Amino acid sequence: MTMPEHLTLQQAQELTKADADSRQHRERVRKMLAGDHWLGGAGWVGPRLPAENGLAAEFLLAVEKQFIPKNALLEVARRHVGAVIGRYPIIKLALRDATAEATKAQQADMREAEGALTAYLDRNRALGKLQMFARELLLGDAYLRSYVPTGQLRDGVIPPGDLLGSIARLRLSNPDPAAVRVVDDEETGERYAVYRSKDKAGHEAAEVYYLNAAGQTVVRRVTALEASLLLGGDGQPLPVQERVQESAGVDMHGLLPITHAEREQFITPTMVRNNFMLNFAKTAILRNAELAAVLERYGVNILPPGEWVRDSNVPDGMRYEIDPAWRPGGGQATFFSPQTTADAQGNVQAVGGGQYGRFEPVSPDALIATKTDAYHDMLDEAAQSHIRMSGDATASGESRIQAMNDFKTSLYATATAIEGALAEHLEMVLAWAAALSGSAGRFRGYRVVVQCRILAAQPTTEERAQVIAEQGAGLRSTENAMSEIGVEDTDEMLESVRKEQEEKLKQGQAAAEALAGMIDPPRPRAPVTADATP
């Protein structure tokens, strides 16, 4: 396999290509999450005319006008993502050596680093991007990327600054998985990332991130120049000319500016098909309601009011012209005539067997049951059966508890992937900012710890009491207990509690001193007088 420092543009682009089925599924789900369930007709699973039928396109157009989707796919995705990362996760620094005790200097370093990471996340409005990252992860994998905008460069180089100034230059993005890939080469042990993009002139480009021999991160950008019009000996165009730019190595603790996360696919093709069936049932219910509210009539071998008139432009020279004053509909009395024919001589003959009728609606029970079944199947596959049970008076309390536990368990697969990827990415960001500020490797002895604040449901009074009891028994930390019972900013709350405790301690000391003074008042000192002069 070609080493990352020698990849051509074409090779880099090939690496980012996904298989056709995976790409199609991802694109389809994205459109459905955005509200497009018609999908150019592919989202309709009801009856349709054969493609060779001349009315096939007209039939689909009529169906599209009455197509009524329900975005249950977005509903289950929002519920899952909101429970996993509806709030900022807890982000802390810890010593890489878990057995060591942090010194005061190390504690100061960790506080400074946590403040810098908070500034980075706030500057990039990271919560929304992390939620988009989590939603993309439901399709199997997702990526985070940090970069320095070209507008921040001076003569192509990132200018130096302090830690906060340097980290403020970094931007966070959610790259399209179709344009990026992190490669773990099993043969060479190399780990590198490829990101496909275009330059300002619209030329194809690719960025390759890899580690040099010193373990420093290097960015190699390969850009296509204008393609040559010359043909080679085999009659094929000569390879596109490329411009290669390579940055100096930066100490990022052996990490890359692109981080990859994976989990088992949550939004599966089966879930998508169930949403198709749900949409079909809802559309059919509308059609059925239309037949009930606005009757649709038909006639066999009968004619509306009118008369036969001569017309040389039609066969047999006779054309039936409907009375322009005739108005069908409610409140109108209409008298139909038997079906007749007219020959070229104007002789009119009646055709027997005239019938009149109307299309009757059917019971909507089967359609409603189909819609409900498809929706419940989606909830069950997403481990969200507790939503279905919320409207079921027959469900037992034990089954509701089990359904909620299943939902909470399903969240951990996403939370674990996010925690690992975000911790790695933030460590890279911190190392990059330290290197830009002239302190490369300053935070090498620390690791970033990320914990999602999972909130499947508001805790009940009993659950809150249980968490508080576990904290009192030493089975939970105070910070974890605060997070579990719904405290948004545990850092701020812990600081407030500390200040309150200090204030109470001072007040207690002052009260004790005052009480001691009342019990044992100080003895008066004897006045000191000068000796008398004889």
Side-chain angles (χ1 to χ4, degrees):
M1 179 177 286
T2 305
M3 301 297 284
E5 58 266 35
H6 302 304
L7 284 175
T8 65
L9 177 61
Q10 182 177 0
Q11 290 171 330
Q13 291 174 332
E14 288 293 330
L15 284 172
T16 61
K17 287 185 178 178
D19 63 273
D21 290 342
S22 175
R23 184 172 62 252
Q24 182 185 35
H25 176 65
R26 190 179 290 270
E27 291 175 354
R28 174 174 290 180
V29 170
R30 282 178 176 172
K31 289 180 180 179
M32 293 179 71
L33 291 175
D36 178 12
H37 282 227
W38 179 248
L39 301 172
W44 172 249
V45 294
R48 62 175 69 203
L49 297 178
E52 59 272 13
N53 191 308
L55 297 176
E58 184 178 346
F59 173 81
L60 269 184
L61 182 61
V63 173
E64 183 181 7
K65 290 179 179 179
Q66 294 189 316
F67 184 65
I68 306 296
K70 173 182 174 67
N71 206 339
L73 208 62
L74 179 62
E75 177 189 330
V76 297
R78 273 181 176 168
R79 187 176 295 119
H80 186 96
V81 171
V84 173
I85 195 161
R87 301 176 292 169
Y88 268 117
I90 298 172
I91 299 172
K92 295 289 186 181
L93 253 70
L95 292 178
R96 199 171 296 278
D97 182 1
T99 63
E101 188 75 22
T103 64
K104 289 185 177 181
Q106 289 172 328
Q107 291 174 356
D109 279 346
M110 288 191 284
R111 285 194 297 270
E112 183 182 1
E114 289 169 2
L117 290 178
T118 300
Y120 166 79
L121 295 171
D122 290 344
R123 173 70 176 78
N124 285 281
R125 299 179 180 178
L127 182 58
K129 293 179 181 179
L130 291 176
Q131 289 171 342
M132 292 303 298
F133 174 73
R135 183 184 292 187
E136 197 71 43
L137 188 58
L138 299 185
L139 292 168
D141 66 342
Y143 294 85
L144 290 173
R145 174 177 177 252
S146 284
Y147 65 98
V148 178
T150 55
Q152 295 283 341
L153 304 179
R154 295 179 185 173
D155 298 327
V157 179
I158 304 174
D162 60 10
L163 183 63
L164 282 176
S166 297
I167 209 168
R169 299 185 189 278
L170 304 181
R171 298 292 183 270
L172 178 66
S173 68
N174 301 112
D176 185 347
V180 63
R181 186 182 174 191
V182 173
V183 180
D184 280 304
D185 192 336
E186 295 181 356
E187 296 180 4
T188 64
E190 290 272 356
R191 188 168 186 267
Y192 59 94
V194 177
Y195 175 68
R196 180 164 45 88
S197 61
K198 291 185 178 181
D199 65 6
K200 292 182 179 180
H203 298 148
E204 294 290 335
E207 293 179 359
V208 183
Y209 304 89
Y210 67 95
L211 303 180
N212 61 17
Q216 298 173 322
T217 304
V218 178
V219 182
R220 183 173 182 267
R221 183 175 179 84
V222 186
T223 307
L225 302 178
E226 294 297 335
S228 172
L229 298 179
L230 299 177
L231 301 180
D234 57 357
Q236 298 297 320
L238 293 174
V240 175
Q241 299 298 310
E242 299 175 349
R243 180 177 68 248
V244 178
Q245 299 168 295
E246 194 164 279
S247 72
V250 179
D251 183 1
M252 298 185 186
H253 297 181
L255 301 173
L256 304 173
I258 293 179
T259 307
H260 182 219
E262 292 181 285
R263 64 146 289 163
E264 181 184 17
Q265 194 175 70
F266 177 84
I267 302 179
T268 62
T270 303
M271 192 180 292
V272 171
R273 298 290 295 181
N274 271 310
N275 209 149
F276 285 166
M277 182 167 71
L278 170 59
N279 295 341
F280 165 70
K282 284 182 64 66
T283 303
I285 289 173
L286 172 65
R287 173 61 175 161
N288 197 56
E290 181 185 19
L291 289 175
V294 184
L295 296 179
E296 187 173 333
R297 303 172 178 86
Y298 66 88
V300 179
N301 288 338
I302 60 175
L303 289 174
E307 61 179 343
W308 287 97
V309 296
R310 293 189 178 277
D311 188 344
S312 60
N313 295 322
V314 299
D316 298 330
M318 299 295 290
R319 171 176 55 81
Y320 190 80
E321 187 173 287
I322 298 175
D323 186 353
W326 174 58
R327 294 289 184 273
Q332 302 290 329
T334 302
F335 300 94
F336 291 97
S337 303
Q339 174 71 47
T340 58
T341 61
D343 57 21
Q345 288 72 38
N347 299 318
V348 178
Q349 296 181 348
V351 177
Q355 297 179 2
Y356 170 81
R358 70 184 186 189
F359 294 106
E360 297 287 351
V362 299
S363 171
D365 292 346
L367 298 175
I368 294 173
T370 300
K371 175 178 71 73
T372 302
D373 184 64
Y375 179 59
H376 286 178
D377 282 351
M378 294 183 69
L379 293 177
D380 290 342
E381 186 173 351
Q384 298 177 11
S385 301
H386 62 290
I387 301 300
R388 169 167 54 85
M389 293 181 181
S390 63
D392 184 2
T394 63
S396 67
E398 187 65 29
S399 62
R400 293 175 190 273
I401 293 174
Q402 184 59 49
M404 179 56 71
N405 288 337
D406 290 343
F407 176 52
K408 291 179 180 179
T409 301
S410 73
L411 304 176
Y412 295 139
T414 305
T416 302
I418 292 175
E419 289 168 354
L422 185 57
E424 177 183 320
H425 199 78
L426 292 179
E427 183 177 339
M428 180 278 303
V429 166
L430 193 59
W432 194 356
L436 293 177
S437 64
S439 302
R442 175 185 173 189
F443 299 105
R444 189 179 299 279
Y446 307 95
R447 60 188 179 91
V448 178
V449 180
V450 176
Q451 181 185 356
C452 289
R453 305 173 192 257
I454 293 179
L455 184 62
Q458 289 293 339
T460 63
T461 303
E462 293 79 6
E463 290 172 335
R464 292 168 66 92
Q466 178 67 23
V467 169
I468 294 171
E470 290 176 358
Q471 189 275 332
L475 301 177
R476 288 179 183 267
S477 68
T478 302
E479 183 176 15
N480 177 266
M482 286 181 175
S483 178
E484 284 295 318
I485 64 176
V487 175
E488 289 285 341
D489 192 335
T490 56
D491 288 339
E492 182 180 354
M493 184 61 69
L494 284 170
E495 181 64 19
S496 297
V497 171
R498 185 187 65 80
K499 289 180 178 179
E500 286 181 0
Q501 290 175 342
E502 288 181 353
E503 186 63 28
K504 288 180 180 178
L505 181 60
K506 291 179 182 178
Q507 292 175 356
Q509 290 174 343
E513 291 175 358
L515 183 59
M518 294 174 60
I519 296 175
D520 187 14
R523 295 178 179 178
R525 295 181 179 180
V528 179
T529 58
D531 294 338
T533 303

